[in-house]
Amino acid sequence: MPARFFLSSGDLMADRRFEFARDLQLKGDLPAAADLLMQAIELAPNFTSAWFTLAGIREELGEHDAAVAAFRQAQISDSNDRHGAGLRLMRLGAEPLAGMPQAYVQTLFDQYAPRFESSLVGDLGYRGPALLFKAVLSVRSAVRKPAFFKRAIDLGCGTGLAASAFARSVDHFIGVDLSPRMIERARATGLYAELEVADMLQGLRARVDASADLILAADAMVYVADLAPVLKEAARVLASGGLLAFTTETHDGEGVVIGKGLRYAHAAAYVRAEVESAGLELSLLEDRSARNEDEAPVPGLVAVAAKT
């Protein structure tokens, strides 16, 4: 993942104390790091990065209430919540499950863009696009139809990995991503006829009815808590016989949870119910891991749904 996001306090002394605190944190001296962060906050009370880092240290030290209080201050001091303090509060059980702030997702992937592919594919063994391509081939083969599509929409397109996997099967690719820097890299591939900076729901709402034959979301639904709005818009945008193919992370419980990596995990029963509620027919739902974390496969699902 990208380097830690930093928002300057505007106070040179406070920023320096933050830097010293980070050095101590990396060396494992958490109490000393927390003391320095408190000094930085005394100099700059609305120092978001200091509050957020302090909260993480409090959590690591097992100081739950202090961690919650610090994450709340980080969230208050940056109304856009670019650090994702709200997500950490959800993980701590201090806030109900909700959607991710757009500013957090955009900031995360703007930072991530320069080394996205090397990190995701090289370090995490990312295989989402290949899994989706194999799943779409399987579904098409089962109904004796070729896996060729006139128009496809790649939701959360990133640098273009999914488009690359489907390049020979799609005539006209449309890419949608919330990160302008990801869109720049996708444009450089030459794989897309159209590219748009937008979140997945906005990107779909901009499309007319029955205007796509294939919609892909490779490793993108993990940033969506409630799948229902995206699935319903996908059903509207798909032409008759069109397919929606996506990956998501999963868990053994019910509904949706937010995982350790601050990504949503959707239970298989939840995915099945939401696909059907959107008016789509679930053609395939398999347990497949799209990536590794800590050198182990992350539990995941591959889903393909058809517009009948």
Side-chain angles (χ1 to χ4, degrees):
M1 292 300 287
R4 183 182 292 264
F5 179 57
F6 175 72
L7 289 171
S8 172
S9 67
D11 183 303
L12 182 60
M13 292 301 294
D15 285 0
R16 284 180 177 173
R17 278 174 169 75
F18 176 87
E19 292 171 6
F20 294 148
R22 284 285 290 135
D23 287 341
L24 289 170
Q25 181 186 20
L26 293 172
K27 292 174 181 176
D29 192 347
L30 300 185
D35 287 343
L36 270 175
L37 288 168
M38 287 303 299
Q39 292 176 33
I41 289 166
E42 287 177 8
L43 293 169
N46 292 316
F47 193 173
T48 305
S49 292
W51 278 117
F52 185 81
T53 305
L54 177 64
I57 289 174
R58 297 297 191 208
E59 182 180 1
E60 196 170 348
L61 290 171
E63 300 171 4
H64 179 274
D65 291 347
V68 167
F71 278 130
R72 289 199 191 283
Q73 287 299 323
Q75 191 178 39
I76 290 168
S77 61
D78 176 22
S79 59
N80 291 319
D81 196 13
R82 285 168 285 181
H83 280 287
L87 298 175
R88 301 292 290 269
L89 288 168
M90 292 179 213
R91 277 282 298 163
L92 288 170
E95 292 289 341
L97 194 75
M100 289 192 184
Q102 283 196 3
Y104 165 76
V105 178
Q106 182 176 323
T107 299
L108 177 69
F109 284 99
D110 276 350
Q111 282 189 291
Y112 203 4
R115 62 187 193 93
F116 177 77
E117 290 190 22
S118 62
S119 176
L120 194 59
V121 178
D123 299 339
L124 302 178
Y126 179 57
R127 47 202 172 264
L131 290 174
L132 287 184
F133 185 65
K134 183 178 179 181
V136 168
L137 283 180
S138 175
V139 168
R140 282 298 208 191
S141 177
V143 294
R144 298 185 178 183
K145 289 184 178 181
F148 293 104
F149 306 91
K150 290 183 178 179
R151 295 175 68 86
I153 301 173
D154 185 5
L155 298 174
C157 66
T159 58
L161 293 173
S164 179
F166 282 83
R168 295 184 180 180
S169 300
V170 173
D171 290 336
H172 185 103
F173 244 122
I174 300 163
V176 178
D177 201 285
L178 191 57
S179 164
R181 291 188 180 178
M182 287 291 193
I183 289 290
E184 288 173 10
R185 291 184 174 265
R187 182 171 288 111
T189 67
L191 294 170
Y192 296 93
E194 302 175 48
L195 285 161
E196 179 183 1
V197 177
D199 71 19
M200 291 190 286
L201 193 55
Q202 292 166 341
L204 288 171
R205 284 174 174 166
R207 304 292 157 183
V208 299
D209 295 359
S211 59
D213 305 297
L214 175 67
I215 298 175
L216 301 172
D219 205 42
M221 296 299 196
V222 294
Y223 298 101
V224 179
D226 181 6
L227 296 185
V230 173
L231 294 177
K232 288 176 182 177
E233 281 299 304
R236 179 187 63 81
V237 172
L238 281 172
S240 180
L243 298 180
L244 165 66
F246 63 93
T247 62
T248 189
E249 293 179 6
T250 193
H251 64 107
D252 293 333
E254 299 179 355
V256 186
V257 300
I258 188 161
K260 182 180 178 181
L262 301 184
R263 295 150 60 89
Y264 299 109
H266 305 88
Y270 169 86
V271 171
R272 185 177 291 107
E274 292 302 332
V275 166
E276 293 173 357
S277 179
L280 296 169
E281 182 177 297
L282 192 62
S283 303
L284 179 148
L285 184 65
E286 294 181 340
D287 290 313
R288 292 288 184 271
S289 174
R291 58 185 280 166
N292 301 330
E293 237 171 63
D294 298 327
E295 300 182 355
V298 177
L301 300 170
V302 172
V304 181
K307 173 74 172 290
T308 57

